[in-house]
Structure formats: structure tokens, C-alpha cells
Amino acid sequence: MTSRRKFIKLTALGAAALPFAKSALAQSSAGNGAKPIVLSTWNFGLGANVEAWKVLSTGGRALDAVEAGARVPEADPKETSVGLGGLPDRDGHVTLDACIMDEHGSCGSVAGLEHIVHPISVARKVMETTPHVMLVGDGALQFALANGFKKEKLLTKESEKAWKEWLKKAEYKPVANIENHDTIGIIAMDAAGNLSGACTTSGMAYKLHGRVGDSPIIGAGLYVDNEVGAATATGVGEEVIRIVGCHLVVELMRQGNSPQDACRLAVERILKKNPEKAKQVQVGFLALNKQGEYGAYCLQKGFTYAVHTAEGNQLFDGKSHF
């Protein structure tokens, strides 16, 4: 199993990406406060940002940008925590969760979706063509197929092999920063100053069949308020759900906190609820305000995020509590 701490090779990103690692203390560097801007969680956020930037740099809408970015890891079979190639639940099913939200507060979501490579696009279709916010399980699949999405096998040989090896002991012990719970969350502001966000994952590896984390839940794994800012989360979704994490981050920004401080205060809320458990799990928040300022904060060291502005595509280490 590959650690998320491995940097994406530059050759895989194309000439548009200019990544270099920075500490969280460098977040006041040139580019903070700029627009357009796109931010994505983890190292694979670099590749997602490249696609999103193609939309933003030509005057496109933030909603189109975050969808385009999220589709990159969804289609990459080497990314075992998102989309195609995702590690399955304990019964061998690859189940996907995703949500998307635009500047108008419109949102769409799918949970427990199987056989569809791009759940983020299904979530957008739910948002734009139905009166609902969330579709789940077989209903989500039926909706996707009715709207032209192709049914495909998501379990790759590599992920199946890892699952069968896990079955020998069947121990469920999530490890911080390892690919059993790494989500891609992506938030952006376009040249018009409008915000949107997307979040997509295959969830925790070897979870109980039917388990849903924070990623498809509006207000937990993602929240956008065009008057204030946007936030997304990654890590152990149960802990994020308990504090409605991303809504909390946005409301903290509304109260005047910087994105960095809002993320820190949300992490501290998790820490306060269960100090001992917080030492064992990873949760990270990433936020962007209406002024184009951004910040991140996490429980454990190891959370990275990517930021793309007109000055380039950069990778940062999120500041952590521990």
C-alpha cells in the first residue's frame, strides 16, 4: 500500500504544474489573497489542480473547475482511496461517496455508489436535474445509468489482492495518513469571485458494507457559503460528522477568523470531545475565504494540500496539533 506522503512525480502533472513543498508558516507568501485560486487535499491535489486550473485560467466557473479536478484521482487506478482502484469494503465491494456544492448553495451528493468511475459527476447531475440533494446505493446507481454513466468494474487486481490479504486477519485499524481514509476535497474561487467545492472518496478500506463517512455529507465533508468562504475535510469521517466540521469552519470564518484559525479551532473541537482518540486518528481541514486567503490545520503531522494560483501550483504541509 502506497503512503500518501509520496510526492506525485512532476512528469505526471505536465508543464502546467510547478509544485514545491512549503511549510504551513509560508502561507502568507505571494498568491494568498489571489483569485482565481484552487486548493485540493493531499499530494494528488497537485494533479487535480492542474485540471481545475485549465477551467479557472480561461475565465471558467469554479463549479466546473472543482468537478474537473475531482475527476482526476477518481479515474486513476493507482489511487486506492478514490474512485477506480479504490480499496473495497470488507465484503469486497468498492463503494463511492461524493458531493458537490456551488455558489448559490445548490448541492448534490451520492453515497454507497458502486460501478461508476465518476461519482462527482453523478452528484452534480443530482444537484442540477432532481429536487433532491442525496441519492444512495442502488438508487444512485439506477440514476447514474439512466443518465448515461457507464457501469464498470472498479475493483482492480491490485486492490483485490490487498483485500484478500487483509481478510487473513480481518483487523480494522485505520492508520493516520495512510490510504484507507484519504479523500480528495477541492475548493475554488473563480475570476468572478464565486466559490464552489467538491469532495469524493471510496471511503475507509475494509469498512462495514454500507458505511458512509463525511465526504458526501453537506456541512461535514464540504461546505460552501459564497458570502464567506468554503471548506473541505479529510481523514476519519466519523470525527468530522460529529462536529459538522466544514460548516463549523465556514461559520468560524463568518465570525472573523482567518481560514487558518477556523481550521485550527475545528480541529480543537474534535480534540476536546475525545482527547485520547484524537491522538490515534487523522482529521484535516482546508479552507478558503471570500478574499482568496487560505489555510489548513490537522490533528497529526502528514497532511498535505496543494494550492494553484496564477503564480503556480504549490504543495504545502498542513500545520498540526500533534
Side-chain angles (χ1 to χ4, degrees), residues 3-25:
S3 170
R4 183 69 71 212
R5 295 292 299 155
K6 287 188 177 180
F7 285 87
I8 297 176
K9 295 181 180 179
L10 302 187
T11 53
L13 300 178
L18 301 172
F20 52 93
K22 287 181 173 289
S23 72
L25 297 177

Side-chain angles (χ1 to χ4, degrees), residues 18-163:
L18 301 172
F20 52 93
K22 287 181 173 289
S23 72
L25 297 177
Q27 291 178 19
S28 60
S29 63
N32 206 354
K35 64 178 182 181
I37 182 173
V38 58
L39 298 83
S40 298
T41 57
W42 301 106
N43 292 11
F44 56 16
L46 288 167
N49 281 359
V50 170
E51 286 303 307
W53 190 252
K54 291 177 182 178
V55 176
L56 296 174
S57 63
T58 55
R61 188 181 174 195
L63 181 68
D64 295 325
V66 296
E67 180 188 12
R71 286 171 62 93
V72 173
E74 283 184 338
D76 187 348
K78 295 181 180 179
E79 296 297 348
T80 59
S81 63
V82 180
L84 178 65
L87 291 169
D89 62 25
R90 61 184 57 200
D91 295 331
H93 302 279
V94 180
T95 60
L96 308 179
D97 306 323
C99 73
I100 194 164
M101 192 169 187
D102 71 7
E103 71 272 26
H104 305 299
S106 299
C107 46
S109 171
V110 292
L113 176 62
E114 297 186 50
H115 309 299
I116 304 296
V117 173
H118 291 298
I120 197 64
S121 296
V122 182
R124 181 170 180 176
K125 185 69 71 172
V126 172
M127 176 181 76
E128 294 181 335
T129 68
T130 82
H132 310 306
V133 169
M134 178 181 283
L135 295 178
V136 304
D138 289 341
L141 176 59
Q142 290 171 15
F143 174 80
L145 296 176
N147 281 275
F149 290 87
K150 183 181 178 183
K151 187 174 182 178
E152 299 183 45
K153 182 179 180 180
L154 302 181
L155 186 64
T156 61
K157 291 181 179 179
E158 291 77 11
S159 290
E160 184 176 16
K161 181 180 179 181
W163 167 60

